[in-house]
Amino acid sequence: MIPTGNRRQLKSRFNAIRQQLTLATMPLFLCTVSSSLLAEEMKQAGRIEEVVVTARKRAESIQETPVAVTALSGDNLRARGILGAEELSKSVPSLQINNSTTPQIFIRGIGQRAAFARFDPSVSVYLDGIFIPRPDGQLLDTIDVDSIQVLRGPQGTLFGKNNTGGALVFTLSKPGEDAAGYVEAALGNFNEQRLQAAVDVPVTDDFYTRFSLNSRRRDGFFKDATGSENQSIDRLSGIFQSRWIASDDITLDTFTFIGKIRENFPSYHCVIANEDALFVNGLGLLWPGDTDPNNPSAYVDNCNANSRESQKDLHTNQGDSQRQQKDQDEFLLGLTLDYQYSDDHSFKAIFGYRDATKMNPQTTADEGGPAEFLRADLLDDGLQESLTLELQFNGVLFESVDYSAGIFLQDEFKSERFNTANPLVGSEPINFLGLAGGQAGIDIEAITDLLGSVTGLVPGGTVPLVAAALPLATVQDFEIDGETLAVFTQATWHVTDDFEFTVGGRYTQETRDSYLVTRSADLEAVTSIISSADPRFVPIMPSMGAMAFLGRWSQDPLTIANNILHEQFPGDIRAPLSAPKIDTRGDTFKQFTPMASVAYIVPEQLLDGTLLNSAMAYATWSNGFKSGFQEPFGLDGLSAVKPEELENREIGIKIDALEQSLRVNLAAYSMTFKNMHLITVNVDSNNTLVVGSQNAGASLIEGAELEVMWFPNASTLVNLTYSNNNYRYEEFTDNDLKALALRGERITIDRSDEEFAVSPKETASLGIQYSLQTNIGVFIPRLDISYKSDIYLGLDRGAWLSAQEDPSTAYSKAYTLMDARLGWTDNNEEFNIAFYVKNLMDERYDIGAVSAGDSIGTFTKVLGDPRTYGIELRRTF
C-alpha cells in the first residue's frame, strides 16, 4: 500500500518503488506491494492499498491499467476462505466456473463446455507464467499462492490463442532471503481434513529455496445407491521453488509441482426434458425391460428412478456402469530467467513443461438413470504433454514509450480413447420400416417380404424386432500433435502525463495433426452370435443387427439379446468390433489479433476540491481467437473446424475517492463473436447421424461490470460486485434431428433465438468484513453473499422448446449463497484461528450438466456443495 494525499504524491512514490523493484524481483504477472511499514499505516487509516500489477507485462498501478482486471492477494483469498479456483466465481464479476462432470471456465459468457482432447479452453490459466493448456488441469487450488489476477475480455495480443474469454493468472509466493514459513490445518464436516505448509530455506546469500505441501481430503456428500460416495476431495501436492540471484541484473526462478488427485466427480439426477425426443417416444423404440409395445416405459422409468423426487436428499441412483472417479497425476516444471541488461531494458525467458495422466475408465455422459442404456466412457489412460517457451523483451524507448515484445513457442501432445455404446433396441415392424427407410441403400421391399414371411410364424400376426438402430459400439483412439509459433508486440506512448495511447498485435501460426482410429461394432457378427445362442432370434437385416424374435414382447426379448451379447463381451466394449478405420489430417491455422486503447488520467488540479482522489477513463479495442481443430465426422473421417474469432469494444472508468477509502471500477463492453464452435447435428456421406462441433454461429455480447471496495471506517471493509451480460445470437443454424433420423431429410432450422448456455446473465456479490482490536488480538468477522441468475443448460433445439413451456427441463434456478467466517489473530500476527461456514443456509443449487431435448430427451442436473463448516488454525514463523 502506498499512502498518498493526492495523485502527484501517489505517482511519485509509485515511480520510486518501481525503480527500486526490477522485473527480476517481481512475479511475472502480478505483484502487490504490501509488506512495508507504509502499507500497515494505510491499513490502519482505513485506506485502500495500492496494487501494482503487470497485466501488460510491466509494473503499473491497477488503477492506471486500461484492462478490466480483478486482483486478489493471498491474504484476500484467505480472508474470504477461497481454497480453489472454482470459488473465485463467487466474487469476480462475469466469471462462471463449474466443476461438475467436467471442468468449465466461462468469462462474459465465453468458455468451453466439453473437455475432450480435441477441444481447447476459451479461458486460459497461467501458473507463474506457464500456460496450462488443458481444462482438467486448470482448476488450481489456491495453495501457496501470492496472488491471482482475473483478466476479463479477449487477451489475444500479449497472451495469445484460447483467451477469447480472458485469462486467470496465478502467481506463487516466492522464496525469501530469511528462514520463515507457515503451517495451516483444518477440520470440517464430511470428514474434511486439510493440511498446508510452506517453509523458506535460504541456502546462501544469493540462493533461496521454498518447499510447500498441500493435502486435502473430504468424503463425498452424494450417496449413490451403488454404495459410492461422489463429489469427494482427495488431493495431494507439493511444490519446490528456488531463486538464484546470479548478479544485480540476473535472477533465475524455478518451480517444480507434483500433484495427485484421487476423488469422485459429482453425481447427478435425471429429469425427462422432452417426451417427444427420439429416444423417448420419437422413434417408437423399445428398450430392455419393455414388455408391452403399446405402453413402452423402460426409458422413462429409468430416468425417474434417479430423479430428485424419487431419492432422498443428497442421494442418487446412477447404476453400476457409472465410473465417477477423477484420478489424475500431474507434473509441472517452470523456469524463468530475468536479465536487466540496461537501465531501461530487460529480457525474460520462461520455459514450461507439463506432463499429466488421466487414469480411466471414466463415464462422461449417459441418459441419466441406473440402467446401462446409453454409455460414453473414456477408456485407458489419457496422456497430456506440453512444452512452452516464451521470450520477452520489455523496456522504455524515447523516455515516453513502454514496450513489450516477444516470441512464444508450444509443442503439445494429447491422447484419449473414447467409447460410445448403446443397447440393442426394439421396434414394431411398421416403426422399423420407417426408421430403415431413412437410411440410404436400404431395400425396403425385400425387408417387407421377409417380415411378412416371419410374421406368419407368430401367433397374432406380429413379431418383435430387435436391432442396433442406435450405434451399438464405437471406439475411437485419438492422438493430437500441435505446434504453435507466435510473435507479439505492444507499446504504450505516454503522449502527456495524463494521456496514453497503446497499440499492439500478435501473429499466431498453429499446426495441428490428428490421428484417429475408429472401430465400430460388427453388426453381422452380433446377429450371428445372438441367433446362434438363441434360435428364436432370426436375422432380418444383419447390416443393421436386425433380428425378428419368434416369441412375444412379454418375454422381454431385448433383455435376452443384450444379456447374450454381454456374456460374450463382459468388458467395457460389449460388442465385437469391425476392422479399424484410420483417419489422419493436418491443418495450419493462422491468425493476427491486433489491439488498441487510449487512456486518460484526470489531472490532479481538476480533482482539487472534489471527493475524488484519482480517476481514469479508457477505451479499448481488442481481438482474440480460439484455436481451430479437427472433428471426427462419422464415416467421412476428420473435418476441420476453423478458429473462433472475437472482437471486443470496451470502455471503462476507475475511480478512487473519499481520501482513498472508496474505489469504484466500471467496465462496459460490446463483443462480436464469429465462427462460434457450436454443437450441431448433421449426416455423413453414408446418411448416418453425426453430432459434433461446427462453426455454426455468430453472436453479439453486451454487458457491464462493477467492482466497489469501500472502507466506511478504519475497521470496516465492504466489497461489492455486479455484472450484467446480454448474449444474443446473430446466426445459429442447425438441422432438424427428427427429419434426418426418420426420413434422411436435411431441413435447416434457425436457433438464433436461443440463450447462451452455462453462463448466467447476472451475477452479484457482497462482502462485509469488520476488524475488532482487543487486548488479546484482532477478531475479524466476515460475511460473503453471492448471487447467480438462472442459467440455461440446454444443448439442442428440443431442450430450448421444452424450456419455453417448462423452464425446469433445461434451466438451473437462480440462487444466492452465504458464507460466514470468524477469525482471530494474535497481536503479533503469528497465530490465527478461524471458524467458517460455507453455504450457510444449506441451499440446493445446480452447478451444471446438460439438457438434450432432441435425442436422449433427458436433463441431468448436478448439485453444488451443501453446507460445509469447520475450523482452521494457522501458525506463521
Side-chain angles (χ1 to χ4, degrees), residues 649 670-676 678 696-702 726-733 750-754 756:
R649 298 159 296 277
S670 175
M671 299 190 291
T672 302
F673 203 177
K674 300 178 181 178
N675 290 328
M676 294 178 66
L678 298 172
S699 64
L700 181 68
I701 304 173
E702 296 176 323
N726 294 287
Y727 321 112
R728 183 173 75 248
Y729 286 111
E730 300 289 312
E731 176 186 341
F732 186 2
T733 59
D750 181 8
R751 298 179 58 185
S752 60
D753 59 336
E754 297 182 21
F756 270 33

Side-chain angles (χ1 to χ4, degrees), residues 507-580:
Y507 173 77
T508 304
Q509 178 175 299
E510 178 173 14
T511 300
R512 184 167 292 202
D513 297 305
S514 293
Y515 178 81
L516 175 66
V517 179
T518 302
R519 300 187 70 189
S520 301
D522 186 337
L523 298 184
E524 293 190 3
V526 168
T527 58
S528 176
I529 290 171
I530 294 176
S531 60
S532 297
D534 190 331
R536 290 176 296 178
F537 291 95
V538 178
I540 295 293
M541 197 176 83
S543 63
M544 286 189 67
M547 295 165 282
F549 178 69
L550 304 183
R552 298 181 180 276
W553 281 115
S554 60
Q555 295 173 277
D556 196 0
L558 295 174
T559 297
I560 296 172
N562 281 285
N563 284 344
I564 291 172
L565 203 57
H566 294 172
E567 289 174 3
Q568 290 280 337
F569 301 92
D572 291 304
I573 305 170
R574 297 182 175 179
L577 298 179
S578 59

Side-chain angles (χ1 to χ4, degrees), residues 491-759:
T492 300
W493 177 27
H494 300 275
V495 183
T496 68
D497 287 343
D498 306 311
F499 179 76
E500 69 177 38
F501 174 68
T502 302
V503 64
R506 186 184 190 107
Y507 173 77
T508 304
Q509 178 175 299
E510 178 173 14
T511 300
R512 184 167 292 202
D513 297 305
S514 293
Y515 178 81
L516 175 66
V517 179
T518 302
R519 300 187 70 189
S520 301
D522 186 337
L523 298 184
E524 293 190 3
V526 168
T527 58
S528 176
I529 290 171
I530 294 176
S531 60
S532 297
D534 190 331
R536 290 176 296 178
F537 291 95
V538 178
I540 295 293
M541 197 176 83
S543 63
M544 286 189 67
M547 295 165 282
F549 178 69
L550 304 183
R552 298 181 180 276
W553 281 115
S554 60
Q555 295 173 277
D556 196 0
L558 295 174
T559 297
I560 296 172
N562 281 285
N563 284 344
I564 291 172
L565 203 57
H566 294 172
E567 289 174 3
Q568 290 280 337
F569 301 92
D572 291 304
I573 305 170
R574 297 182 175 179
L577 298 179
S578 59
K581 180 180 182 297
I582 299 176
D583 294 299
T584 61
R585 182 173 180 130
D587 291 282
T588 298
F589 305 102
K590 301 176 182 179
Q591 200 81 15
F592 178 68
T593 47
M595 66 79 58
S597 72
V598 293
Y600 176 69
I601 302 172
V602 179
E604 170 190 322
Q605 58 268 26
L606 296 182
L607 300 178
D608 288 344
T610 72
L611 298 178
L612 302 182
N613 302 106
S614 67
M616 182 193 75
Y618 69 88
T620 296
W621 171 71
S622 58
N623 291 264
F625 81 101
K626 177 181 171 182
S627 175
F629 60 96
Q630 288 101 8
E631 174 82 339
F633 195 73
L635 294 180
D636 295 335
L638 295 164
S639 64
V641 180
K642 297 185 294 184
E644 291 182 329
E645 301 175 28
L646 189 75
E647 180 183 7
N648 178 49
R649 298 159 296 277
E650 182 173 324
I651 58 174
I653 299 172
K654 298 187 176 185
I655 295 172
D656 282 354
L658 304 180
E659 298 184 355
Q660 300 292 123
S661 67
L662 175 66
R663 173 166 292 173
V664 179
N665 291 346
L666 177 67
Y669 41 86
S670 175
M671 299 190 291
T672 302
F673 203 177
K674 300 178 181 178
N675 290 328
M676 294 178 66
H677 296 167
L678 298 172
I679 296 177
T680 63
V681 60
N682 218 315
V683 291
D684 61 15
S685 57
N686 197 43
N687 209 42
T688 302
L689 290 177
V690 177
V691 179
S693 293
Q694 304 294 327
N695 298 109
S699 64
L700 181 68
I701 304 173
E702 296 176 323
E705 298 159 345
L706 173 69
E707 291 185 280
V708 177
M709 179 184 293
W710 178 38
F711 280 99
N713 56 57
S715 302
T716 307
L717 169 63
V718 178
N719 298 103
L720 173 69
T721 70
Y722 175 77
S723 66
N724 188 307
N725 291 279
N726 294 287
Y727 321 112
R728 183 173 75 248
Y729 286 111
E730 300 289 312
E731 176 186 341
F732 186 2
T733 59
D734 201 353
N735 292 292
D736 183 89
L737 179 60
K738 187 171 290 188
L740 279 172
L742 293 177
R743 301 186 299 276
E745 183 179 358
R746 191 190 301 265
I747 299 178
T748 301
I749 58 174
D750 181 8
R751 298 179 58 185
S752 60
D753 59 336
E754 297 182 21
E755 290 186 20
F756 270 33
V758 179
S759 288

Side-chain angles (χ1 to χ4, degrees), residues 35-108:
S35 60
S36 65
L37 178 61
L38 298 174
E40 184 59 32
E41 291 174 353
M42 196 167 188
K43 181 185 291 186
Q44 293 177 1
R47 287 187 284 176
I48 297 171
E49 64 183 75
E50 187 61 42
V51 179
V52 179
V53 301
T54 56
R56 296 193 290 179
K57 301 195 176 181
R58 59 179 181 270
E60 54 191 345
S61 167
I62 191 172
Q63 291 302 95
E64 297 184 1
T65 304
V67 177
V69 53
T70 299
L72 296 171
S73 69
D75 290 338
N76 296 148
L77 298 170
R78 284 190 294 276
R80 303 178 189 213
I82 294 176
L83 299 175
E86 57 266 31
E87 294 186 87
L88 292 172
S89 60
K90 291 182 180 181
S91 54
V92 176
S94 295
L95 177 65
Q96 178 71 15
I97 300 179
N98 296 331
N99 190 17
S100 56
T101 53
T102 183
Q104 301 170 336
I105 306 177
F106 282 70
I107 296 179
R108 295 180 176 175

Side-chain angles (χ1 to χ4, degrees), residues 32 47 177 188 265 307 311 322 380 440 452 576 624 673 688 755 757:
T32 303
R47 287 187 284 176
E177 60 183 14
F265 281 110
S307 67
Q311 300 293 317
Q322 275 289 319
D380 300 338
F673 203 177
T688 302
E755 290 186 20

Side-chain angles (χ1 to χ4, degrees), residues 102-104 106 111-121 134-135 626 679 693:
T102 183
Q104 301 170 336
F106 282 70
Q112 175 56 51
R113 198 167 184 181
F116 296 131
R118 61 186 180 272
F119 298 140
D120 285 350
R134 297 293 98 214
K626 177 181 171 182
I679 296 177
S693 293

